[in-house]
Each structure stands twice: as C-alpha cells, then as structure tokens.
Amino acid sequence: MYNKNKSPLNEKVYLSSPTMHDLEMQYMEEAYKTNWMSTVGENINTLENQISKMTDHYAVALSSGTAALHMAMKLATERAYGKGETLRGHRVFCSDLTFDASINPILYEGGIPVFIDVEKDSWNMDPDALRKAFDTYPEVKIVALVHLYGTPANMGEIMNIINEHDAILIEDAAESMGATYKGKQTGTFGHYGCYSFNGNKIITGSSGGVLICKDEEDANKARKWSTQSRENAPWYQHEELGYNYRMSNVIAGVVRGQMNYLQEHINQKKDIYERYKEGLSDLPVTLNPLIKEGQANNWLTCLLIDEEAMCPQIRDDHNVLYKSEKNKTCPHEILDALNEINAEGRPIWKPMHMQPLFHRYPFITCTHLGEDLFRRGLCLPSDNKMTPEVQDYIIDVIRACFE
C-alpha cells in the first residue's frame, strides 16, 4: 500500500468537474423570469442553433447523452430496416472500450451488440477488427462508434469500411465535443452524432445531451418521439411510442452559456495533458495517444504503465488486490495514492465484453488491446480548475509510486 507521507490537498481535485462562468446564471434567470421552465423556450432554441452552426447539422436538445443515443438508434433502425421496423434480432457493431450508456440503447431496441476491440493509435474502434466483423456478419447495417476520452477515432479508414458496406454510422461523441478529425467535428461523420452535457463533460448543463442529424426529417422525428410522440391534434393523440426525453429550458440555459467557453476549456485540458506528459516523461509510462490526423479535446488524460513496470495486481468483478514492489506499481496503487491526497482518479473503462451484462454477446478483436488497457491504465485528475502547482504535486505523488 502506498504511504509516502504526502499531505492531503486542502481542496479535493476531481477527475473532471463543472467549470462555471457568469452567462449560465444569466440564461437560467431568463428562463425563471419569463416562466419558460419546461421543455420549450429561448434557451433551447438558441442552443440548438449554436450546435447546428458548429456542426452544420440539425440539432435536437435532449435530457441526456443516453437519450440522444437512443433516439439515434431508433432513427438508424428505421433508415436501415424501414419505417416502423424494430431492431429486434439484428446485430449492431459497437465500441467495446466505453461506458455502458453507449451500448444500452441497442438493448432498449432489442438489438444484439457485437463488440469491436480498439486500436493502439487512438484507443478507439480498430478498423482491422471492424473489417473482420463485417467478414463475419456481412448483413450488419448499423455501426455505433465512440470517440474515447475526447480523442477522435481513425475516421478515414472507418468511413471507408462503413461506406463499402453501405452501413449507417452513429457517433457517440459524448466525450469529444470540439474534437476534430482532419478539421471535421467528431459527431458529424455519420448520419447521427450524440453529445453529452453531463456534469463531468468538457461543457455541462449538469445534465442534458444533444442529437445531431444530417436530415431535417430525422431531427423532427426525434423531437416528436422525445415529447411522448404527441400528434398534431386538439387533444393528446398518440399513434406511436414516445419518450420524455426533451431538454428543459433551464438546463438549456446552462449549456447555452457554457458553449461560449468550449474552446477555452479545450485549451485548459490540453495544458493539463502537456504538463503530465512533461512531468512523467522519464517514467515507464505512456499517456493516451492523440491521433495524428485529429485534434483531441483532451477531456481526460490517461496513463498506461509499461508491462515491465507493473507490480502484481488481480481483480474480480468487484475487488482488487495488488502487491507493492520496488520500482514498480499498478493502476490501483496509484489510485490509492491519489485518494490519500484528496485527488480523484479512475480505472480505464472496463471493456464491455468483460461485463457480466454483456458476456453472451460476440466480441471481435485482432489484438485484445482493450483488455490490456483496462489492466494497465488509469484516468488521471484532469479538472481544468486544477492549478499547475497542484498538478505538480499530483505528478510527484505518481512518481513516488515507482520508487
């Protein structure tokens, strides 16, 4: 167990917490004063226009990133299999190294996830594994891809594969708003893109998300479905299944204000990544890769310990044990050390194919890299309110774990 007599920080340093400004309160107060507190109002309209301008897509403001992913899955299903058809019994290719919110909408709609492993250059969906998946399941029509930790996937190769198979792409860009691949915003390569405004994202509304669509008809469908599928009638008329997924005008006020600071937040996150890179450069570690063809938003900085520098570590589904060794460490020793100084870290996402919920579904890999990233990796404190002095202290604590 780590014990280097480091004093706790006076204030907790979070993995990534909201950074608020003045405009958010101004727009929230406008909603309050004008009594537009529900799911219509100026904040929603303005926010959708802001996102549309940034992405050159139609935007639908929703209650969460997961809601956006669900609406995207329904739209993709109709596009792939016909109006009124369901996903039941159909396979969907999806990222394996991610949070389960990326996958759950497939199950909501009765589909069968097929997990695709990651590549080393971006820690995102591996094009080679995706080709292998299409060779195995050539009938698949939907691909759901995640841009992990704010780094764009290898969209050049992936789009070539998707276009070869005339498939439909859903981009989970929940973690990558503002990131680009060859100058093009993540979320805008496929038919549908999804962003999140959860409290830990690069900009936040405390909650909320947005769906972006290439086609106006799709955006209008999503707006209808997200407001309980009410028909245009003088009473409540319902002819198809609906959901209570629309963003509130109050939350939209927060996000509307945050949008003005997106690039500022990205610049701060980049500085954090670069300070970690410099401060840990002589240790047997690497940071999460930043794909050459893209610009990450550096939402989280992640650390991967070299194999030869790993001390023994074992995990079951709920617990972990490790044995400290001189000049070696492991993710959970570093996480314990961070916790002792009042700083928050997190293991790399546990791959979906390793989760008990998803054990029975297919997994396609060429390298088994995702499993290795989970074993040797962790997310470092990446809060953009962290001062350079505090980050230097955190770096010293990480370095001590290798002594």
PDB file of all heavy atoms in Angstrom, residues 265-291:
ATOM      1  N   HIS A 265     -12.086  25.840 -22.505  1.00  0.00           N
ATOM      2  CA  HIS A 265     -11.975  24.606 -21.732  1.00  0.00           C
ATOM      3  C   HIS A 265     -11.047  23.604 -22.433  1.00  0.00           C
ATOM      4  O   HIS A 265     -10.262  22.916 -21.775  1.00  0.00           O
ATOM      5  CB  HIS A 265     -13.356  23.994 -21.517  1.00  0.00           C
ATOM      6  CG  HIS A 265     -14.225  24.776 -20.589  1.00  0.00           C
ATOM      7  ND1 HIS A 265     -15.468  24.340 -20.194  1.00  0.00           N
ATOM      8  CD2 HIS A 265     -14.042  25.975 -19.972  1.00  0.00           C
ATOM      9  CE1 HIS A 265     -16.012  25.220 -19.379  1.00  0.00           C
ATOM     10  NE2 HIS A 265     -15.166  26.235 -19.240  1.00  0.00           N
ATOM     11  N   ILE A 266     -11.161  23.515 -23.753  1.00  0.00           N
ATOM     12  CA  ILE A 266     -10.287  22.611 -24.502  1.00  0.00           C
ATOM     13  C   ILE A 266      -8.829  23.016 -24.319  1.00  0.00           C
ATOM     14  O   ILE A 266      -7.954  22.161 -24.101  1.00  0.00           O
ATOM     15  CB  ILE A 266     -10.669  22.599 -25.998  1.00  0.00           C
ATOM     16  CG1 ILE A 266     -12.034  21.924 -26.193  1.00  0.00           C
ATOM     17  CG2 ILE A 266      -9.598  21.889 -26.829  1.00  0.00           C
ATOM     18  CD1 ILE A 266     -12.563  22.016 -27.614  1.00  0.00           C
ATOM     19  N   ASN A 267      -8.542  24.310 -24.394  1.00  0.00           N
ATOM     20  CA  ASN A 267      -7.163  24.782 -24.220  1.00  0.00           C
ATOM     21  C   ASN A 267      -6.633  24.426 -22.827  1.00  0.00           C
ATOM     22  O   ASN A 267      -5.464  24.038 -22.671  1.00  0.00           O
ATOM     23  CB  ASN A 267      -7.089  26.292 -24.438  1.00  0.00           C
ATOM     24  CG  ASN A 267      -7.372  26.693 -25.877  1.00  0.00           C
ATOM     25  OD1 ASN A 267      -7.300  25.872 -26.790  1.00  0.00           O
ATOM     26  ND2 ASN A 267      -7.712  27.958 -26.085  1.00  0.00           N
ATOM     27  N   GLN A 268      -7.484  24.564 -21.810  1.00  0.00           N
ATOM     28  CA  GLN A 268      -7.075  24.223 -20.452  1.00  0.00           C
ATOM     29  C   GLN A 268      -6.785  22.727 -20.321  1.00  0.00           C
ATOM     30  O   GLN A 268      -5.804  22.318 -19.680  1.00  0.00           O
ATOM     31  CB  GLN A 268      -8.165  24.647 -19.461  1.00  0.00           C
ATOM     32  CG  GLN A 268      -8.308  26.153 -19.335  1.00  0.00           C
ATOM     33  CD  GLN A 268      -9.610  26.570 -18.657  1.00  0.00           C
ATOM     34  OE1 GLN A 268     -10.529  25.762 -18.493  1.00  0.00           O
ATOM     35  NE2 GLN A 268      -9.683  27.827 -18.248  1.00  0.00           N
ATOM     36  N   LYS A 269      -7.635  21.902 -20.936  1.00  0.00           N
ATOM     37  CA  LYS A 269      -7.424  20.454 -20.889  1.00  0.00           C
ATOM     38  C   LYS A 269      -6.128  20.067 -21.621  1.00  0.00           C
ATOM     39  O   LYS A 269      -5.407  19.158 -21.182  1.00  0.00           O
ATOM     40  CB  LYS A 269      -8.616  19.730 -21.518  1.00  0.00           C
ATOM     41  CG  LYS A 269      -9.937  19.899 -20.771  1.00  0.00           C
ATOM     42  CD  LYS A 269     -10.023  18.979 -19.574  1.00  0.00           C
ATOM     43  CE  LYS A 269     -11.425  18.957 -19.010  1.00  0.00           C
ATOM     44  NZ  LYS A 269     -11.567  18.004 -17.894  1.00  0.00           N
ATOM     45  N   LYS A 270      -5.848  20.737 -22.714  1.00  0.00           N
ATOM     46  CA  LYS A 270      -4.612  20.460 -23.446  1.00  0.00           C
ATOM     47  C   LYS A 270      -3.400  20.784 -22.588  1.00  0.00           C
ATOM     48  O   LYS A 270      -2.407  20.025 -22.573  1.00  0.00           O
ATOM     49  CB  LYS A 270      -4.569  21.266 -24.750  1.00  0.00           C
ATOM     50  CG  LYS A 270      -3.321  21.016 -25.577  1.00  0.00           C
ATOM     51  CD  LYS A 270      -3.329  21.810 -26.886  1.00  0.00           C
ATOM     52  CE  LYS A 270      -2.060  21.534 -27.681  1.00  0.00           C
ATOM     53  NZ  LYS A 270      -2.032  22.297 -28.967  1.00  0.00           N
ATOM     54  N   ASP A 271      -3.450  21.902 -21.860  1.00  0.00           N
ATOM     55  CA  ASP A 271      -2.342  22.272 -20.981  1.00  0.00           C
ATOM     56  C   ASP A 271      -2.123  21.206 -19.905  1.00  0.00           C
ATOM     57  O   ASP A 271      -0.982  20.893 -19.552  1.00  0.00           O
ATOM     58  CB  ASP A 271      -2.615  23.629 -20.329  1.00  0.00           C
ATOM     59  CG  ASP A 271      -2.522  24.792 -21.311  1.00  0.00           C
ATOM     60  OD1 ASP A 271      -1.951  24.603 -22.404  1.00  0.00           O
ATOM     61  OD2 ASP A 271      -3.035  25.876 -20.986  1.00  0.00           O
ATOM     62  N   ILE A 272      -3.203  20.662 -19.375  1.00  0.00           N
ATOM     63  CA  ILE A 272      -3.105  19.608 -18.362  1.00  0.00           C
ATOM     64  C   ILE A 272      -2.408  18.384 -18.943  1.00  0.00           C
ATOM     65  O   ILE A 272      -1.511  17.803 -18.321  1.00  0.00           O
ATOM     66  CB  ILE A 272      -4.499  19.250 -17.822  1.00  0.00           C
ATOM     67  CG1 ILE A 272      -5.041  20.395 -16.956  1.00  0.00           C
ATOM     68  CG2 ILE A 272      -4.478  17.940 -17.022  1.00  0.00           C
ATOM     69  CD1 ILE A 272      -6.510  20.271 -16.602  1.00  0.00           C
ATOM     70  N   TYR A 273      -2.815  17.980 -20.144  1.00  0.00           N
ATOM     71  CA  TYR A 273      -2.187  16.832 -20.811  1.00  0.00           C
ATOM     72  C   TYR A 273      -0.688  17.067 -20.994  1.00  0.00           C
ATOM     73  O   TYR A 273       0.136  16.182 -20.710  1.00  0.00           O
ATOM     74  CB  TYR A 273      -2.867  16.592 -22.156  1.00  0.00           C
ATOM     75  CG  TYR A 273      -2.355  15.393 -22.924  1.00  0.00           C
ATOM     76  CD1 TYR A 273      -3.007  14.165 -22.842  1.00  0.00           C
ATOM     77  CD2 TYR A 273      -1.232  15.478 -23.753  1.00  0.00           C
ATOM     78  CE1 TYR A 273      -2.550  13.053 -23.552  1.00  0.00           C
ATOM     79  CE2 TYR A 273      -0.761  14.388 -24.458  1.00  0.00           C
ATOM     80  CZ  TYR A 273      -1.426  13.177 -24.355  1.00  0.00           C
ATOM     81  OH  TYR A 273      -0.963  12.091 -25.059  1.00  0.00           O
ATOM     82  N   GLU A 274      -0.321  18.256 -21.458  1.00  0.00           N
ATOM     83  CA  GLU A 274       1.083  18.548 -21.738  1.00  0.00           C
ATOM     84  C   GLU A 274       1.903  18.586 -20.457  1.00  0.00           C
ATOM     85  O   GLU A 274       3.073  18.162 -20.447  1.00  0.00           O
ATOM     86  CB  GLU A 274       1.204  19.870 -22.499  1.00  0.00           C
ATOM     87  CG  GLU A 274       0.632  19.836 -23.913  1.00  0.00           C
ATOM     88  CD  GLU A 274       1.338  18.827 -24.804  1.00  0.00           C
ATOM     89  OE1 GLU A 274       2.570  18.618 -24.628  1.00  0.00           O
ATOM     90  OE2 GLU A 274       0.681  18.237 -25.671  1.00  0.00           O
ATOM     91  N   ARG A 275       1.339  19.091 -19.345  1.00  0.00           N
ATOM     92  CA  ARG A 275       2.081  19.097 -18.079  1.00  0.00           C
ATOM     93  C   ARG A 275       2.312  17.678 -17.574  1.00  0.00           C
ATOM     94  O   ARG A 275       3.395  17.355 -17.068  1.00  0.00           O
ATOM     95  CB  ARG A 275       1.339  19.933 -17.038  1.00  0.00           C
ATOM     96  CG  ARG A 275       1.501  21.439 -17.216  1.00  0.00           C
ATOM     97  CD  ARG A 275       1.120  22.217 -15.973  1.00  0.00           C
ATOM     98  NE  ARG A 275      -0.301  22.117 -15.668  1.00  0.00           N
ATOM     99  CZ  ARG A 275      -1.230  22.967 -16.103  1.00  0.00           C
ATOM    100  NH1 ARG A 275      -0.892  23.972 -16.902  1.00  0.00           N
ATOM    101  NH2 ARG A 275      -2.496  22.809 -15.763  1.00  0.00           N
ATOM    102  N   TYR A 276       1.305  16.809 -17.712  1.00  0.00           N
ATOM    103  CA  TYR A 276       1.508  15.407 -17.340  1.00  0.00           C
ATOM    104  C   TYR A 276       2.574  14.772 -18.235  1.00  0.00           C
ATOM    105  O   TYR A 276       3.439  14.029 -17.760  1.00  0.00           O
ATOM    106  CB  TYR A 276       0.208  14.615 -17.470  1.00  0.00           C
ATOM    107  CG  TYR A 276      -0.718  14.691 -16.277  1.00  0.00           C
ATOM    108  CD1 TYR A 276      -2.062  15.038 -16.448  1.00  0.00           C
ATOM    109  CD2 TYR A 276      -0.275  14.387 -14.992  1.00  0.00           C
ATOM    110  CE1 TYR A 276      -2.918  15.092 -15.355  1.00  0.00           C
ATOM    111  CE2 TYR A 276      -1.138  14.444 -13.907  1.00  0.00           C
ATOM    112  CZ  TYR A 276      -2.455  14.798 -14.089  1.00  0.00           C
ATOM    113  OH  TYR A 276      -3.306  14.847 -13.011  1.00  0.00           O
ATOM    114  N   LYS A 277       2.510  15.062 -19.517  1.00  0.00           N
ATOM    115  CA  LYS A 277       3.466  14.474 -20.464  1.00  0.00           C
ATOM    116  C   LYS A 277       4.895  14.849 -20.093  1.00  0.00           C
ATOM    117  O   LYS A 277       5.804  13.990 -20.093  1.00  0.00           O
ATOM    118  CB  LYS A 277       3.125  14.947 -21.879  1.00  0.00           C
ATOM    119  CG  LYS A 277       3.990  14.336 -22.969  1.00  0.00           C
ATOM    120  CD  LYS A 277       3.526  14.812 -24.337  1.00  0.00           C
ATOM    121  CE  LYS A 277       4.387  14.232 -25.448  1.00  0.00           C
ATOM    122  NZ  LYS A 277       3.924  14.717 -26.793  1.00  0.00           N
ATOM    123  N   GLU A 278       5.104  16.103 -19.759  1.00  0.00           N
ATOM    124  CA  GLU A 278       6.442  16.553 -19.394  1.00  0.00           C
ATOM    125  C   GLU A 278       6.854  16.006 -18.033  1.00  0.00           C
ATOM    126  O   GLU A 278       7.982  15.511 -17.855  1.00  0.00           O
ATOM    127  CB  GLU A 278       6.491  18.086 -19.382  1.00  0.00           C
ATOM    128  CG  GLU A 278       7.850  18.650 -19.015  1.00  0.00           C
ATOM    129  CD  GLU A 278       7.889  20.167 -19.040  1.00  0.00           C
ATOM    130  OE1 GLU A 278       6.881  20.791 -19.424  1.00  0.00           O
ATOM    131  OE2 GLU A 278       8.943  20.731 -18.652  1.00  0.00           O
ATOM    132  N   GLY A 279       5.960  16.063 -17.062  1.00  0.00           N
ATOM    133  CA  GLY A 279       6.305  15.682 -15.698  1.00  0.00           C
ATOM    134  C   GLY A 279       6.518  14.197 -15.502  1.00  0.00           C
ATOM    135  O   GLY A 279       7.179  13.785 -14.536  1.00  0.00           O
ATOM    136  N   LEU A 280       5.966  13.371 -16.401  1.00  0.00           N
ATOM    137  CA  LEU A 280       6.081  11.917 -16.269  1.00  0.00           C
ATOM    138  C   LEU A 280       6.947  11.307 -17.372  1.00  0.00           C
ATOM    139  O   LEU A 280       6.986  10.085 -17.529  1.00  0.00           O
ATOM    140  CB  LEU A 280       4.677  11.291 -16.311  1.00  0.00           C
ATOM    141  CG  LEU A 280       3.678  11.785 -15.250  1.00  0.00           C
ATOM    142  CD1 LEU A 280       2.284  11.230 -15.537  1.00  0.00           C
ATOM    143  CD2 LEU A 280       4.134  11.401 -13.851  1.00  0.00           C
ATOM    144  N   SER A 281       7.639  12.145 -18.131  1.00  0.00           N
ATOM    145  CA  SER A 281       8.301  11.705 -19.359  1.00  0.00           C
ATOM    146  C   SER A 281       9.395  10.666 -19.123  1.00  0.00           C
ATOM    147  O   SER A 281       9.693   9.870 -20.017  1.00  0.00           O
ATOM    148  CB  SER A 281       8.884  12.909 -20.106  1.00  0.00           C
ATOM    149  OG  SER A 281       9.848  13.575 -19.293  1.00  0.00           O
ATOM    150  N   ASP A 282      10.008  10.671 -17.948  1.00  0.00           N
ATOM    151  CA  ASP A 282      11.104   9.739 -17.704  1.00  0.00           C
ATOM    152  C   ASP A 282      10.658   8.474 -16.967  1.00  0.00           C
ATOM    153  O   ASP A 282      11.493   7.642 -16.598  1.00  0.00           O
ATOM    154  CB  ASP A 282      12.232  10.421 -16.922  1.00  0.00           C
ATOM    155  CG  ASP A 282      11.772  10.928 -15.560  1.00  0.00           C
ATOM    156  OD1 ASP A 282      10.558  11.192 -15.402  1.00  0.00           O
ATOM    157  OD2 ASP A 282      12.611  11.051 -14.658  1.00  0.00           O
ATOM    158  N   LEU A 283       9.365   8.303 -16.768  1.00  0.00           N
ATOM    159  CA  LEU A 283       8.831   7.109 -16.120  1.00  0.00           C
ATOM    160  C   LEU A 283       8.463   6.062 -17.176  1.00  0.00           C
ATOM    161  O   LEU A 283       8.246   6.399 -18.345  1.00  0.00           O
ATOM    162  CB  LEU A 283       7.592   7.457 -15.293  1.00  0.00           C
ATOM    163  CG  LEU A 283       7.793   8.347 -14.073  1.00  0.00           C
ATOM    164  CD1 LEU A 283       6.468   8.565 -13.363  1.00  0.00           C
ATOM    165  CD2 LEU A 283       8.824   7.763 -13.114  1.00  0.00           C
ATOM    166  N   PRO A 284       8.351   4.797 -16.774  1.00  0.00           N
ATOM    167  CA  PRO A 284       7.955   3.737 -17.718  1.00  0.00           C
ATOM    168  C   PRO A 284       6.448   3.737 -17.952  1.00  0.00           C
ATOM    169  O   PRO A 284       5.732   2.788 -17.619  1.00  0.00           O
ATOM    170  CB  PRO A 284       8.431   2.464 -17.009  1.00  0.00           C
ATOM    171  CG  PRO A 284       8.366   2.790 -15.554  1.00  0.00           C
ATOM    172  CD  PRO A 284       8.716   4.248 -15.442  1.00  0.00           C
ATOM    173  N   VAL A 285       5.966   4.825 -18.546  1.00  0.00           N
ATOM    174  CA  VAL A 285       4.526   5.008 -18.801  1.00  0.00           C
ATOM    175  C   VAL A 285       4.343   5.710 -20.142  1.00  0.00           C
ATOM    176  O   VAL A 285       5.273   6.321 -20.675  1.00  0.00           O
ATOM    177  CB  VAL A 285       3.842   5.859 -17.701  1.00  0.00           C
ATOM    178  CG1 VAL A 285       4.001   5.211 -16.332  1.00  0.00           C
ATOM    179  CG2 VAL A 285       4.393   7.291 -17.689  1.00  0.00           C
ATOM    180  N   THR A 286       3.143   5.630 -20.677  1.00  0.00           N
ATOM    181  CA  THR A 286       2.727   6.450 -21.810  1.00  0.00           C
ATOM    182  C   THR A 286       1.363   7.043 -21.493  1.00  0.00           C
ATOM    183  O   THR A 286       0.601   6.496 -20.684  1.00  0.00           O
ATOM    184  CB  THR A 286       2.633   5.630 -23.108  1.00  0.00           C
ATOM    185  OG1 THR A 286       1.774   4.497 -22.883  1.00  0.00           O
ATOM    186  CG2 THR A 286       3.986   5.142 -23.555  1.00  0.00           C
ATOM    187  N   LEU A 287       1.059   8.165 -22.114  1.00  0.00           N
ATOM    188  CA  LEU A 287      -0.262   8.764 -21.982  1.00  0.00           C
ATOM    189  C   LEU A 287      -1.161   8.290 -23.112  1.00  0.00           C
ATOM    190  O   LEU A 287      -0.686   7.751 -24.124  1.00  0.00           O
ATOM    191  CB  LEU A 287      -0.169  10.289 -21.997  1.00  0.00           C
ATOM    192  CG  LEU A 287       0.684  10.935 -20.897  1.00  0.00           C
ATOM    193  CD1 LEU A 287       0.533  12.449 -20.949  1.00  0.00           C
ATOM    194  CD2 LEU A 287       0.326  10.404 -19.518  1.00  0.00           C
ATOM    195  N   ASN A 288      -2.471   8.490 -22.950  1.00  0.00           N
ATOM    196  CA  ASN A 288      -3.398   8.112 -24.012  1.00  0.00           C
ATOM    197  C   ASN A 288      -3.011   8.819 -25.311  1.00  0.00           C
ATOM    198  O   ASN A 288      -2.698  10.003 -25.317  1.00  0.00           O
ATOM    199  CB  ASN A 288      -4.848   8.421 -23.635  1.00  0.00           C
ATOM    200  CG  ASN A 288      -5.063   9.828 -23.129  1.00  0.00           C
ATOM    201  OD1 ASN A 288      -4.321  10.310 -22.286  1.00  0.00           O
ATOM    202  ND2 ASN A 288      -6.092  10.492 -23.638  1.00  0.00           N
ATOM    203  N   PRO A 289      -3.004   8.086 -26.434  1.00  0.00           N
ATOM    204  CA  PRO A 289      -2.493   8.643 -27.690  1.00  0.00           C
ATOM    205  C   PRO A 289      -3.442   9.687 -28.275  1.00  0.00           C
ATOM    206  O   PRO A 289      -4.663   9.623 -28.093  1.00  0.00           O
ATOM    207  CB  PRO A 289      -2.399   7.413 -28.594  1.00  0.00           C
ATOM    208  CG  PRO A 289      -3.425   6.471 -28.064  1.00  0.00           C
ATOM    209  CD  PRO A 289      -3.443   6.685 -26.575  1.00  0.00           C
ATOM    210  N   LEU A 290      -2.866  10.639 -28.968  1.00  0.00           N
ATOM    211  CA  LEU A 290      -3.623  11.670 -29.675  1.00  0.00           C
ATOM    212  C   LEU A 290      -3.403  11.436 -31.164  1.00  0.00           C
ATOM    213  O   LEU A 290      -2.323  11.684 -31.682  1.00  0.00           O
ATOM    214  CB  LEU A 290      -3.148  13.065 -29.267  1.00  0.00           C
ATOM    215  CG  LEU A 290      -3.120  13.337 -27.762  1.00  0.00           C
ATOM    216  CD1 LEU A 290      -2.612  14.742 -27.494  1.00  0.00           C
ATOM    217  CD2 LEU A 290      -4.492  13.137 -27.138  1.00  0.00           C
ATOM    218  N   ILE A 291      -4.425  10.934 -31.843  1.00  0.00           N
ATOM    219  CA  ILE A 291      -4.296  10.508 -33.228  1.00  0.00           C
ATOM    220  C   ILE A 291      -3.746  11.644 -34.092  1.00  0.00           C
ATOM    221  O   ILE A 291      -4.161  12.807 -33.973  1.00  0.00           O
ATOM    222  CB  ILE A 291      -5.650   9.983 -33.755  1.00  0.00           C
ATOM    223  CG1 ILE A 291      -5.486   9.298 -35.107  1.00  0.00           C
ATOM    224  CG2 ILE A 291      -6.693  11.087 -33.801  1.00  0.00           C
ATOM    225  CD1 ILE A 291      -6.713   8.501 -35.520  1.00  0.00           C
TER     226      ILE A 291
END
